[in-house]
Amino acid sequence: MLGRLGVREAEGGNRVLTTRLAPSPTGALHLGNARTFLINWALARQNGWRVVLRVEDLDGPRIKPGAAAGIERTLRWLGMDWDAGPVVQSADLTPYEGAMQTLARAGRAYPTEITRGEADDALSAPQEGGAGGEKRFPASLRPAGWGAARVFTAAGAGAGAAGVAWRFATPDVPVEFVDGFAGQQCINPAQTIGDFVVWTKRGVPAYQLAVVVDDARQGVTHVVRGDDLLDSAARQWVLYEALGLGAPPVYVHVPLVVGSDGRRLAKRHGDTRVDVYRDSGVPAERVIGLVAWWCGITTSRGVMNAIDFAAGLRVDGLPRGVVVFTQEDDQWLREV
Ligand code: GLU
């Protein structure tokens, strides 16, 4: 039976409920990332979930040296803690290779040299566009005999030779789940995105595969993250099924912080990196206080520590839409 946040209550008694903080070390945390992590951490501490810190560093070209250590320091500075990790994805690729072998043997993934750009050319109707501006990779572009059992090798000889991406043969079925914030969802990933990459031609697992393998092996029961990944949840759901990993986690997708122009918080909105505020003397309690106001915990900006934030956060109290970061927010932080 599903309770608040969709926690499977019947199983909760003998299972360790677990969540993860999963930063990508592509740069320093900004205020929007800090809000999502604080919400995740607060829900964990309220509900007694175990917290795993997982560094998602497989996105090679975008990873910045030193960013993981900087993020860890910022999370601690804000008052967050975790029970396990950091677990670094790039440290050991064998679990992901094992999952690829499972998919390949079952004929559910195939190597292909067709890129998304070429797939775009093959699609004429504008409604063929997938989620988040990505183009759908339709089943019609699968190679002949795509469903045959194959052998996956991460590098070297065979069908999985380095340099060739592998795609998941996405089943054409709607995925239905209740998101702990966004509510009832019905997403058919075959219609929104089609066959997505599970192993990149750079020879590393793609995000969707890595996140599923890790959530499963780390016993993650609750995923709390930005709603830019809501559509990904359906892809992850079908991978759970294809890999025989049991029930996917409960998902809680919260809206992002945007700038005054309505676009996702980024450099164009000024320097909103948490460590830059810290280094200019802004106390952690001010950052948390701003985030608390953004989360509906308080009715005006004030100072707050992480413990009071964790005690005060209510999922039902979070604003339903995006949070807008304004110049006044920046000025208030710096009023010290
Ligand atoms: N590493 C991802 C990010 O920073 C989060 C992935 C996830 O939570 O599933 O956007």
Side-chain angles (χ1 to χ4, degrees), residues 20 22-24 56 207 211 223 225 229 236:
R20 70 315 196 271
S24 296
E56 302 207 325
Y207 159 71
V211 85
V223 168
R225 60 189 178 191
L229 291 170
Q236 293 165 19

Side-chain angles (χ1 to χ4, degrees), residues 24-108:
S24 296
T26 51
L29 292 189
H30 59 56
L31 291 168
N33 307 131
R35 177 179 186 264
T36 307
F37 283 122
L38 277 164
I39 294 171
N40 192 353
W41 176 81
L43 290 176
R45 290 301 170 236
Q46 281 177 12
N47 293 290
W49 304 337
R50 186 171 156 265
V51 179
V52 179
L53 177 66
R54 183 166 84 214
V55 176
E56 302 207 325
D57 66 341
L58 294 174
D59 192 0
R62 297 181 56 229
I63 301 304
K64 304 256 176 354
I71 289 171
E72 204 176 312
R73 184 165 166 237
T74 302
L75 293 173
R76 284 195 198 283
W77 179 73
L78 287 169
M80 286 178 255
D81 56 0
W82 42 91
D83 308 297
V87 183
V88 180
Q89 287 185 323
S90 64
D92 179 14
L93 298 187
T94 49
Y96 315 117
E97 291 166 10
M100 282 305 298
Q101 276 150 19
T102 304
L103 294 178
R105 261 199 309 270
R108 301 198 63 172

Side-chain angles (χ1 to χ4, degrees), residues 99-116 119 136-153 158-161 163-171 190 193-201 209 239 242:
M100 282 305 298
Q101 276 150 19
T102 304
L103 294 178
R105 261 199 309 270
R108 301 198 63 172
Y110 57 86
T112 176
E113 306 217 33
I114 299 179
T115 63
R116 204 159 68 202
R136 192 167 74 90
F137 190 99
S140 56
L141 292 178
R142 290 176 191 165
W146 61 270
R150 296 169 195 275
V151 175
F152 171 82
T153 48
V164 180
W166 284 63
R167 287 180 184 266
F168 179 64
T170 306
I193 202 74
D195 290 359
F196 54 89
V197 173
V198 278
W199 194 267
T200 71
K201 60 178 185 223
L209 182 81
L239 283 177

Side-chain angles (χ1 to χ4, degrees), residues 6-23:
V7 177
R8 289 180 190 82
E9 289 170 345
E11 300 165 48
N14 48 15
R15 269 209 309 177
V16 180
L17 302 180
T18 301
T19 191
R20 70 315 196 271
L21 302 173

